[in-house]
Amino acid sequence: MTMSNRASSSSARANALPRYREIYASLREKIVSGEWPAGHRLPSEHELARTFGCARMTISKALGTLADQRLVTRRRRAGTTVNMPRPQESVLEIHDIEAEIVAAGVSYAYESLARQIRRANGSDANTLGVASATPVLALTGLHLAGGRPHALEERLINLQAVPEARSERFHGISPGRWLLQRIPWTEAEHQIGALNADAAVARWLAIRPHTACLTIERNTWRDAQRITHVRLIYPCDQHRLVARFRYRPL
Amino acid sequence: MTMSNRASSSSARANALPRYREIYASLREKIVSGEWPAGHRLPSEHELARTFGCARMTISKALGTLADQRLVTRRRRAGTTVNMPRPQESVLEIHDIEAEIVAAGVSYAYESLARQIRRANGSDANTLGVASATPVLALTGLHLAGGRPHALEERLINLQAVPEARSERFHGISPGRWLLQRIPWTEAEHQIGALNADAAVARWLAIRPHTACLTIERNTWRDAQRITHVRLIYPCDQHRLVARFRYRPL
DNA sequence: AAGTGGTCTAGACCACAAA
DNA sequence: TTGTGGTCTAGACCACTTG
């Protein structure tokens, strides 16, 4: 009996959307058009299943998609309600600098400026979030695009988490890429800010002192363990971050 | 026959995770531990269903979660493979400024500095992405936190999309909040950059000229229609953006 | 107490791409 | 050609929460 239910809806049109996507689109339209305003309660899954003539699980998937997109909130017994003033949440894609530069059709190079292995001092411990005296690798380097300074990088690596880094010289390869290839990370946090370049930064980046720069700080974890902390400094005229809110499944 | 399958696994421990989450966690562990390196192919859904002693749909949900998190890629016939160098993608939460200030326990106010209704000139049309001569509302205002300047806002509103804005004076309420309460948006794009404050900006924000500022530009759509464009300028010492990569379901 | 969503099953057919 | 994931069904029990 259950056979060919799908066939009957899909064989008609070859490239049809899955049923749950059709249902999702249909419900979403009612929400974004304003027909169902914020706070409106949607019919229950059982009722929608009857309405659309499908199994409840299909409805559940459609409603789950809406919930993933924060268009609705679902609670047991309370039902599914429209979530109007939606959180301003964007997906920020922070690419590997090398990939970014190469994608722009420009040659890339990494130049190491300083390298030191030390036991974490108070500042290191605080920045990297490890105990004092933990062995760390401190790196400073320059990302070059087309031979010109693109970004200044200051990095700390937790040698307890990444002992292989102790013997790596990072000639030709940037520490970021090196880590990415070896160390799976599970969580990352970015902080974005602005600063006026001081004399040293300005010299390395070949910009005038006091020029506004965009800074990106990234902390990386593998589960509970801190892997690395990096601060990247970009001259304001050379870099912008783009974040786009996207629906999850589309 | 299908009854109480769940009961047998859940009645034992009251607060147990759902089965698919247990399976998800078990598979994820193999990936982040490195036991299954990048490129490794996972067992098929049928095989995992046998291994874990559950229905294939339960496996599908667990694998789907891994795929949502970009830990694996799933393709028909090719199977499910581990995705190691993961895209550096973060979820950036860009909050309503008022909510942000109030959450910090400080009083909030919006002060309107300029307001003009005009037909879009070339710059407007380009910025807002509408045809020339489209009626637009141009606003400039200041967000105040605890009575002190917090951010400068320059905004264009497409009056074709939001005709109600024509008669709104935005006294006491910021245009952002006003729009958020009325106009459901479906897509947003943010661009983040840095700039040196010019004389006018510095005056409004009560900072020294040339101080580095963080800028956020936001474009908002309702489906294909442009709603508004806004540029916010924050003094660098007053604002940081935080983006955190998060797994979707947790 | 009752109704809602959350999860699960044991099948099934289908679309797709790799062999 | 064949094995994989994608979707779907028609049920079921359970957890939660509101009335």
Side-chain angles (χ1 to χ4, degrees):
Chain A
M1 303 359 225
T2 107
M3 45 200 77
S4 92
N5 286 315
R6 172 70 184 143
S8 63
S9 76
S10 141
S11 63
R13 295 175 296 148
N15 281 343
L17 281 175
R19 189 89 175 94
Y20 82 91
R21 302 285 257 114
E22 291 178 3
I23 295 167
Y24 152 78
S26 161
L27 297 174
R28 176 181 177 278
E29 176 53 28
K30 291 199 189 292
I31 294 171
V32 302
S33 73
E35 183 177 337
W36 286 346
H40 177 86
R41 178 163 162 180
L42 276 66
S44 75
E45 291 192 352
H46 282 104
E47 195 169 332
L48 288 169
R50 254 188 292 113
T51 306
F52 285 98
C54 66
R56 186 166 77 99
M57 255 206 109
T58 305
I59 298 294
S60 177
K61 202 162 179 181
L63 290 177
T65 304
L66 288 172
D68 286 344
Q69 299 180 354
R70 317 286 177 99
L71 280 166
V72 301
T73 299
R74 317 192 66 197
R75 275 175 311 161
R76 292 170 153 120
R77 170 74 206 200
T80 302
T81 52
V82 175
N83 241 348
M84 257 338 268
R86 295 204 284 128
Q88 303 249 359
E89 191 175 80
S90 273
V91 175
L92 178 67
E93 298 188 10
I94 298 183
H95 296 103
D96 183 26
I97 296 179
E98 176 167 354
E100 199 168 68
I101 291 173
V102 170
V106 182
S107 71
Y108 170 84
Y110 175 79
E111 182 185 339
S112 177
L113 301 177
R115 179 182 184 283
Q116 184 189 31
I117 291 176
R118 60 178 181 242
R119 300 204 159 266
N121 58 35
S123 163
D124 295 339
N126 186 51
T127 303
L128 190 52
V130 296
S132 271
T134 303
V136 299
L137 173 60
L139 298 168
T140 305
L142 201 55
H143 297 270
L144 301 162
R148 300 169 57 82
H150 180 74
L152 187 64
E153 166 171 329
E154 298 165 358
R155 183 182 292 270
L156 289 174
I157 298 175
N158 178 0
L159 286 174
Q160 222 158 46
V162 197
E164 317 91 284
R166 189 181 286 270
S167 56
E168 176 62 41
R169 290 296 165 180
F170 305 108
H171 286 149
I173 187 169
S174 71
R177 171 151 292 205
W178 185 89
L179 283 166
L180 205 57
Q181 286 175 356
R182 275 162 195 76
I183 311 301
W185 55 273
T186 60
E187 194 169 344
E189 187 188 73
H190 296 86
Q191 289 192 40
I192 301 158
L195 59 73
N196 291 104
D198 63 24
V201 168
R203 199 176 67 246
W204 288 121
L205 290 174
I207 57 179
R208 294 216 313 267
H210 221 59
T211 300
C213 292
L214 191 64
T215 68
I216 303 176
E217 286 187 64
R218 174 160 58 230
N219 274 300
T220 313
W221 287 258
R222 183 172 51 195
D223 290 328
Q225 189 173 43
R226 299 286 281 264
I227 303 280
T228 187
H229 170 275
V230 61
R231 184 165 80 147
L232 297 162
I233 302 176
Y234 298 86
C236 64
D237 54 349
Q238 291 183 23
H239 200 73
R240 314 212 71 190
L241 295 169
V242 175
R244 182 174 273 271
F245 181 85
R246 281 193 313 226
Y247 290 138
R248 282 245 223 88
L250 183 67
Chain B
M1 350 345 249
T2 104
M3 44 200 75
S4 90
N5 287 315
R6 173 72 185 141
S8 64
S9 75
S10 140
S11 64
R13 295 174 297 146
N15 281 342
L17 281 174
R19 189 89 175 97
Y20 81 90
R21 301 282 259 117
E22 291 178 3
I23 295 168
Y24 152 78
S26 160
L27 297 174
R28 176 179 177 280
E29 176 54 27
K30 289 197 190 292
I31 294 170
V32 301
S33 74
E35 182 177 337
W36 285 348
H40 177 85
R41 178 165 164 179
L42 276 66
S44 75
E45 291 192 353
H46 282 104
E47 196 168 334
L48 288 169
R50 255 189 290 114
T51 306
F52 284 98
C54 66
R56 186 168 76 100
M57 255 205 109
T58 305
I59 297 294
S60 179
K61 202 162 179 181
L63 291 177
T65 304
L66 288 171
D68 287 344
Q69 299 181 353
R70 317 287 178 97
L71 280 166
V72 301
T73 298
R74 317 193 66 198
R75 275 176 310 164
R76 294 170 152 119
R77 170 76 205 195
T80 302
T81 52
V82 176
N83 240 349
M84 256 338 267
R86 296 202 285 127
Q88 304 250 358
E89 191 174 82
S90 274
V91 175
L92 179 66
E93 297 188 10
I94 298 183
H95 297 102
D96 184 27
I97 296 178
E98 176 168 352
E100 199 168 69
I101 290 173
V102 169
V106 182
S107 71
Y108 170 83
Y110 174 80
E111 181 185 339
S112 178
L113 301 176
R115 180 183 183 283
Q116 185 189 30
I117 291 177
R118 58 177 182 244
R119 301 205 157 267
N121 58 34
S123 164
D124 295 340
N126 186 51
T127 303
L128 191 52
V130 296
S132 270
T134 302
V136 300
L137 174 60
L139 298 168
T140 304
L142 200 56
H143 297 270
L144 302 162
R148 300 168 57 81
H150 180 74
L152 187 65
E153 166 172 330
E154 298 166 357
R155 184 183 290 271
L156 289 174
I157 298 175
N158 178 1
L159 286 174
Q160 222 157 47
V162 196
E164 317 92 283
R166 189 181 286 270
S167 55
E168 176 61 42
R169 290 297 165 178
F170 303 109
H171 286 150
I173 187 169
S174 71
R177 172 151 291 206
W178 185 89
L179 282 166
L180 206 57
Q181 286 175 356
R182 276 163 194 72
I183 310 301
W185 56 271
T186 60
E187 194 169 345
E189 186 187 74
H190 297 86
Q191 288 191 41
I192 300 159
L195 59 73
N196 291 104
D198 63 24
V201 167
R203 198 177 67 248
W204 289 120
L205 290 174
I207 56 178
R208 295 216 312 267
H210 220 59
T211 299
C213 292
L214 191 64
T215 68
I216 302 176
E217 287 186 64
R218 174 161 57 230
N219 274 301
T220 313
W221 286 258
R222 182 173 52 195
D223 290 327
Q225 190 174 43
R226 298 287 281 264
I227 304 280
T228 187
H229 170 275
V230 60
R231 184 166 79 145
L232 297 162
I233 303 176
Y234 297 85
C236 64
D237 54 350
Q238 290 181 24
H239 201 74
R240 314 211 72 190
L241 294 170
V242 174
R244 181 174 275 272
F245 182 85
R246 281 194 313 226
Y247 291 140
R248 283 245 221 88
L250 181 66

